[in-house]
Amino acid sequence: MKEALLKVENLRAGIDGKEILRGLNLTVHPGEVHAIMGPNGSGKSTFGGVLAGDPRFSVESGSATFHGTDLFGLSPEDRSHEGLFLSFQYPVEIPGVTMVNFMRAAVNAKRKYFGQEPMGAADFLKMMRQKRAIVELDNKLASRSVNEGFSGGEKKRNEIFQMAVLEPRLAILDETDSGLDIDALRIVAAGVNALKTNDNATIVITHYQRLLDYIKPDFVHILYKGQIVHSGGPELALELEEKGYDWIKQQHQS
Amino acid sequence: MKSLSQYINLYAECRRQLDLVPKPIAALRPKALDALRVFSEQTMRRAPYTEAAIDRLLEPDYGLNIQRMGFAVDLSATFRCEVPNISTLLGVTLNDTFRPTESLMRNIPEGLTVCSLTKAAAGMPSVVERYLNTLAADSTPQAALNTLLFQDGVFVYAAKGVSVERPVQLVNIFNAPVPLMAPRRLLVVAEQGASLRLLLCDHSQRNDIDYLSNEVIEVFVHRDASVEIYTIEENGASTRHITSFHCRQEEGARLTLNTNTLSTATSTATYTIDLAGTGADTRLGGMVIADAGQTVVQNVELTHSVPDCTSTQNFKFALSGKSKGAFGGKIVVKEGAVRTNAAQTNRNLIASDDARMTTAPQLEIYCDDVKCSHGATTGQLDPLALFYMRSRGIPEAEARLMLTQAFMADVVDSISYDLIRDRLRQLVERRLSGEKASCAACAAENTCHC
Ligand SMILES: Nc1ncnc2c1ncn2[C@@H]1O[C@H](COP(=O)(O)OP(=O)(O)OP(=O)(O)O)[C@@H](O)[C@H]1O
Ligand SMILES: [Mg+2]
């Protein structure tokens, strides 16, 4: 078996002294797709945020090893350079910073991290065009401020566009399906699938089977009260669709 | 104000040399002296932070160049600091002495006068008498002090109907081997229907010597005339700067004033503007970027005296380190100034725990049927935006820079003159990325020329 891409052990993390993740374990190998499901407020977004280095959260104990390096020892920007990508549940609007400048800064920061020269203007624009095509993102958005005035669906497409540009080794997609119409869902899922290789992996956080029809998971996990309480194959998602979470909640009443 | 007595004494001692100026200037001294005597007895009349600060600024025993000694200056190094791709009509004030450049003399268009104030006072005394010190009028300690001590200045005059295409660029430079106060003086007159653009730049060539610039600017915009003024302050870490800006606008006159304080030790400016003719229009924009222990104070006192005038103000401060900022924005709408339309915003960004901002918007309205608005906010960089950028690999320092630039964008974007707008954008980026603006650095860069 290949070496783990991400290994999270006994992760405890929270915010302002309130514990949200309570001993979370998860191992992801290259080439795998993991789905994380679970009731509202169970800590799914917190998990994504903690992995990406959201400074609002503090890690109390446990570890996360990302292709051999201690993830929590890296700044958010270095986590990105090392190949971690979080598609935000709520992408942030940044008035006054254009998409083009934002992406140019991101691309060139990564190149600098790996000792490469900044990308030439023509090459950069060409790449932007190619990557936009993957999620059929309207190119008029390029000159607009980051996410400002984007529709819900445009914001989600924009996340996957950024993922396409940054070519992460591990992408965490936090409810990327919410707010997408049926056609957009298909386009975005196709984009994610097109970016899939044997060397990278995806964690899909979602509430609905719908997305998993397009992005087929190898594993499905249920996150409840800050722990992964149940794992299974793709059939688990179908089971949840049918039965809801009551049985899980009952099992973990005590 | 205790600090004033040393200057009153200095004047008494050096009166003979100081009054070796043409009569329109010398004639102003007695009143200024009287005013200063009164100020020196008083403590903190109004706008406390300003007066207290001015008192402290004037406290050190600065020398003045009373003997009019010439200091060597590497003008070529300075010229490189200027605005590339704009061919300006350039004049340089070294400390407090005006030096026109060759190219200014050669290229000055018909109907425009740009010359030393003493030359103007000698050559066209009646014009100078009509305007000089009629607005500043010894109304503040710093203005009275300037009037008592200034020995030279700059005179800019656009005759009736003259429209000057090329901007007049006036560069103030400090360079002296000892601590020095420069009482700088600028008089601008745009006659009826004239239009004029001024770019005022402040530099000091040394960071290690204390300089104080005590500057009085008076601007007269006559009927249907238009004056645009852009200021860029890039002073050294030991240079203090006091600006008293006064403007009077007649019927249909337009004033655009865009001030940019990029580096200084302490900079205190008061912009006093009187919309005195119907239909006059004022657009004020200000950008302050301060860090370390810098202090920047911007006061606006704008008076709508007659009906149908409009004014907008947009002042923004970005403070980091232990810097302090203050904005005092007073709008007075006098009785009878109906259909006044006045808007003021002051937005501030605090990027560190130790930076402090004080903001005091003030509306005094003595008239119905007016539209006045003001708003002030002080906040921090959006932490969510910062994390979002970092999560995409943009290093924190760069993300902060981009967000601060974005914060300032509307002040810069509002500049209608594109060449100055583009240059300012560059200067802001350079400033925010931590490069100190200095003549030496710019000379090394060797990219810009005049
Ligand atoms: N910034 C915050 N401040 C305070 N509490 C927070 C914060 N962020 C998350 N929480 C709390 O942590 C818990 C987990 O939130 P999280 O957003 O991780 O849930 P989730 O599983 O993603 O839910 P959903 O399915 O609704 O997106 C919730 O109780 C939430 O209120
Ligand atoms: Mg969530």
Side-chain angles (χ1 to χ4, degrees), chain A residues 15-16 18-21 38-48 54 56-57 89-90 174-175 205 207 223:
Chain A
I15 189 163
D16 300 331
K18 171 182 158 193
E19 191 169 58
I20 301 171
L21 302 180
N40 293 133
S42 57
K44 302 181 297 297
S45 295
T46 302
F47 182 51
D54 187 334
R56 287 177 300 173
F57 302 113
Q89 183 175 0
Y90 305 108
D174 192 354
E175 295 198 26
I205 297 171
H207 287 294
L223 183 61

Side-chain angles (χ1 to χ4, degrees), chain B residues 233 261 263-269 287-290 294-298 317 319 323-327 357:
Chain B
E233 181 174 350
T261 311
S263 64
T264 184
T266 295
S267 179
T268 299
M287 165 166 68
V288 173
I289 300 173
Q294 300 173 355
T295 300
V296 181
V297 179
Q298 306 252 288
F317 287 60
L319 305 176
S323 61
K324 290 197 196 76
F327 175 75
M357 182 71 205

Side-chain angles (χ1 to χ4, degrees), chain A:
Chain A
M1 183 131 206
K2 286 190 218 170
E3 199 194 323
L5 181 59
L6 177 74
K7 197 171 175 71
V8 178
E9 289 178 299
N10 251 318
L11 176 60
R12 289 179 177 273
I15 189 163
D16 300 331
K18 171 182 158 193
E19 191 169 58
I20 301 171
L21 302 180
R22 303 181 172 91
L24 189 152
N25 293 289
L26 181 71
T27 302
V28 177
H29 292 95
E32 294 176 351
V33 175
H34 291 245
I36 297 182
M37 306 182 80
N40 293 133
S42 57
K44 302 181 297 297
S45 295
T46 302
F47 182 51
V50 166
L51 290 182
D54 187 334
R56 287 177 300 173
F57 302 113
S58 54
V59 174
E60 302 306 336
S61 65
S63 64
T65 312
F66 186 44
H67 56 78
T69 49
D70 168 19
L71 191 65
F72 298 147
L74 301 176
S75 64
E77 44 270 43
D78 287 354
R79 295 180 200 197
S80 164
H81 302 323
E82 288 294 338
L84 190 88
F85 181 87
L86 173 65
S87 168
F88 283 55
Q89 183 175 0
Y90 305 108
V92 181
E93 299 190 2
I94 314 180
V97 175
T98 61
M99 267 315 293
V100 175
N101 286 343
F102 176 71
M103 289 318 293
R104 189 185 292 115
V107 166
N108 287 334
K110 182 171 180 182
R111 293 175 69 90
K112 190 172 173 191
Y113 184 80
F114 289 107
Q116 295 168 311
E117 292 290 305
M119 202 174 219
D123 287 345
F124 174 75
L125 291 176
K126 191 171 152 212
M127 179 180 74
M128 291 293 102
R129 223 174 11 252
Q130 286 168 353
K131 304 293 185 179
R132 267 200 303 272
I134 293 176
V135 285
E136 299 177 22
L137 186 71
D138 196 328
N139 71 23
K140 73 170 194 283
L141 300 177
S143 58
R144 298 242 299 262
S145 291
V146 177
N147 290 323
E148 194 184 34
F150 287 30
S151 75
E154 284 169 339
K155 284 181 182 170
K156 296 301 171 94
R157 277 188 209 219
N158 192 24
E159 294 292 286
I160 303 308
F161 158 69
Q162 293 171 42
M163 171 182 162
V165 171
L166 295 172
E167 298 181 336
R169 297 173 73 165
L170 176 65
I172 304 160
L173 311 182
D174 192 354
E175 295 198 26
T176 301
D177 50 340
S178 69
L180 292 180
D181 65 40
I182 295 160
D183 292 335
L185 179 71
R186 207 174 293 137
I187 291 162
V188 164
V192 172
N193 288 331
L195 297 168
K196 203 177 155 216
T197 69
N198 286 333
D199 297 321
N200 62 23
T202 312
I203 297 175
V204 187
I205 297 171
T206 184
H207 287 294
Y208 303 107
Q209 169 61 32
R210 209 172 55 146
L211 179 68
L212 303 179
D213 287 340
Y214 296 102
I215 303 175
K216 297 232 175 326
D218 301 298
F219 304 93
V220 175
H221 309 278
I222 301 172
L223 183 61
Y224 181 60
K225 291 192 174 171
Q227 285 183 328
I228 291 194
V229 294
H230 201 87
S231 296
E235 71 288 347
L236 180 55
L238 295 167
E239 200 181 331
L240 285 175
E241 187 101 318
E242 207 175 297
K243 299 203 292 190
Y245 289 110
D246 277 354
W247 58 284
I248 291 286
K249 290 179 182 169
Q250 267 155 27
Q251 271 179 29
H252 295 270
Q253 238 4 292
S254 46

